[in-house]
Amino acid sequence: YLRGGGKLFLLLGPALDRGVTRYASLGLESLTARWGVALPKTIVVDPVGIPGEQPLMTWATRDGYGDHPVGRAMAGKLTVWPLARELRVVKTKVKGLSVAPLVRTSPRGWAESDLASLKGQRPLSYDPAVDRKGPVIVAAAVSHGPTPQMVVFGSERGLLIRRLAAPTLRDYNRDLFLAALAWLSDEMALVAIGPKRPEHQRLALDDKQLGKTFLIVVVVMPLMALCGGLVAWRRRRR
């Protein structure tokens, strides 16, 4: 199908058994590797998290997008990656094939290979002997010459219907998916962030922005009010 010019969009999060003791095969590993994208048995973690989500295992990015039409359309937009797997670009025998990273972790992220750490049996930390240091790729686009051929996302949980149907969303996961789908369909004019409906205004703040907001609202503004009150009190005393 692919050799005949077909298009393929894959959402391939890590498959684990119920006890989180081993990885399960998806049956697509050899296919994606032939087209330049390997699926290592790792789970991507990153200290750049967001409030209300599982630390490390769910992380977010605003600037981890690759130099690609989809990545350029998403610049500065927050996307969230819960339980994502690593994608690795590999050499292939298919002539004219090119693989472009769409989304990466921050340099502080890594591909974790120790399932015991993921279960909480050992501290979750980067081990240079067995883990792959970030930035780690979690989404990639494959072109065959000038023709879009395949898109692979290393997580499907950020696109669950029950999640996207929430009354408010802090992220742009849906927009990333639609932009990648438009690129794969050769609809370049649609590779953009569409207009937002007023009832779905998104306040997307990461940890750093929340820290600044807390400092301004809880510390700076009350101090300014206190200083203003002291000045008014001293003037009245005079």
Side-chain angles (χ1 to χ4, degrees), residues 13 162 217 233:
R162 59 176 173 79
V217 174
W233 177 74

Side-chain angles (χ1 to χ4, degrees), residues 35-48:
W35 288 83
V37 180
L39 304 174
K41 293 182 178 180
T42 57
I43 292 179
V44 177
V45 297
D46 198 323
V48 183

Side-chain angles (χ1 to χ4, degrees), residues 8-10 32 35-39 66 68 70 81 85-90 98-104 136-143 149-155 176 180 183-184:
L8 191 61
F9 200 135
L10 298 174
T32 61
W35 288 83
V37 180
L39 304 174
H68 184 274
V70 174
W81 296 86
R85 76 183 306 152
E86 176 191 7
L87 306 182
R88 194 174 300 175
V89 178
V90 294
S98 62
V99 182
L102 292 181
V103 183
R104 298 184 180 94
V136 178
I137 300 171
V138 294
V142 180
S143 301
Q149 195 83 60
M150 183 169 68
V151 171
V152 185
F153 280 15
S155 175
L176 174 63
W183 173 82
L184 191 62

Side-chain angles (χ1 to χ4, degrees), residues 69-70 72-74 174-176 178-180 182-183 187-196:
V70 174
R72 291 192 289 271
M74 295 300 301
R174 175 168 45 197
D175 300 87
L176 174 63
L178 293 176
W183 173 82
E187 299 288 346
M188 293 300 295
L190 301 179
V191 182
I193 305 302
K196 300 296 184 294

